[in-house]
Amino acid sequence: YIKIDVDHLGTLFVDGFRHKSDNGTYKNIFSISRYVGMSRMLNLFFNLYMKEHLNNKFSSTYTVFSGGDDLFVIMPWNGVIDFMEDMYTAFRSFVCENPDIHFSAGIELAKETFPMQKAAARAEEHIEKAKENGRNRVYYFHTMEYEKLREIHDVTRWFIDKLQNKESNINRSFIYRLLHYTREALAFKKQRGNNIK
């Protein structure tokens, strides 16, 4: 379950239509046509471009809603990182790499039998956690910057390749041991306090 929402949209509409003059002061050049134009462009991205992209590349995805400045989709867990990378890259290109226009995302993993309303509510909670930590971030087990997803993706692919290679020393029991050690480390950290790295 993936929810995406553009950050500070109200502020963008107010402060995004200012022009810096030669003397260094800002002049508000807001107008109804600019407001409508920006709204239509955001809707174009989420309602048309992303829907077509999902249909072409992520055909197993179910779009709950897509339009305005947000998106909510349900997709297989193994396509999440690929989708988020595509989404981030496409949006950065769409806004011409403007550092002030970005989005936050919340991802909830759940089994198909888990109630959709609860999963959607958790994804919404995850968006809020991402925004609390500076926005322009994604909550995927914990809050992180989008570039971190690329690292997770690369490490995951490395493990998958090793598992599929019969000559590799890495097998499923090794992965389970890593998971066990990770859980023990997290439990120890929780017991002793968060001051332990």
Side-chain angles (χ1 to χ4, degrees):
Y1 296 81
I2 305 173
K3 278 195 171 184
I4 291 171
D5 183 55
V6 175
D7 296 322
H8 298 302
L9 188 60
T11 304
L12 284 174
F13 280 125
V14 175
D15 294 338
F17 297 107
R18 294 191 304 165
H19 176 70
K20 188 174 183 180
S21 61
D22 294 335
N23 62 6
T25 60
Y26 285 92
K27 179 182 178 183
N28 195 331
I29 55 173
F30 175 82
S31 67
I32 296 298
S33 62
R34 290 175 185 269
Y35 177 91
V36 171
M38 186 171 180
S39 296
R40 285 178 176 169
M41 291 304 290
L42 284 172
N43 189 61
L44 176 72
F45 179 82
F46 284 101
N47 196 31
L48 295 178
Y49 172 77
M50 283 313 300
K51 275 187 178 178
E52 183 177 351
H53 183 65
L54 286 167
N55 287 336
N56 291 337
K57 191 171 179 181
F58 300 95
S59 57
S60 298
T61 301
Y62 176 75
T63 304
V64 180
F65 61 79
S66 178
D69 69 321
D70 51 8
L71 176 74
F72 178 28
V73 296
I74 303 170
M75 67 188 317
W77 68 271
N78 55 1
V80 168
I81 294 180
D82 285 328
F83 168 72
M84 287 306 303
E85 284 186 334
D86 282 10
M87 177 74 186
Y88 181 75
T89 302
F91 193 75
R92 298 300 310 137
S93 177
F94 184 76
V95 300
C96 302
E97 303 293 332
N98 188 322
D100 296 322
I101 307 176
H102 42 72
F103 63 83
S104 297
I107 301 170
E108 170 69 13
L109 294 183
K111 293 183 178 180
E112 62 274 8
T113 55
F114 194 78
M116 181 180 165
Q117 284 186 325
K118 288 185 178 180
R122 287 186 182 179
E124 189 66 40
E125 290 172 9
H126 296 338
I127 284 184
E128 295 308 315
K129 289 179 182 177
K131 290 185 175 184
E132 287 170 5
N133 286 280
R135 300 182 188 258
N136 194 22
R137 285 167 171 74
V138 56
Y139 185 96
Y140 188 50
F141 299 110
H142 61 87
T143 303
M144 67 184 83
E145 295 179 351
Y146 291 102
E147 290 75 11
K148 190 71 177 176
L149 282 176
R150 176 78 257 174
E151 295 178 29
I152 293 172
H153 190 259
D154 290 342
V155 170
T156 303
R157 289 295 179 197
W158 184 85
F159 275 112
I160 290 172
D161 290 343
K162 293 295 183 184
L163 283 170
Q164 292 175 344
N165 183 355
K166 294 181 179 179
E167 297 179 3
S168 171
N169 293 328
I170 294 177
N171 52 33
R172 291 184 184 275
S173 61
F174 174 76
I175 301 296
Y176 283 122
R177 283 200 306 273
L178 281 182
L179 180 61
H180 175 71
Y181 298 148
T182 301
R183 286 174 174 165
E184 284 190 333
L186 289 173
F188 178 76
K189 182 179 179 180
K190 185 177 181 180
Q191 182 183 11
R192 296 293 300 271
N194 291 328
N195 55 341
I196 299 173
K197 299 291 184 182

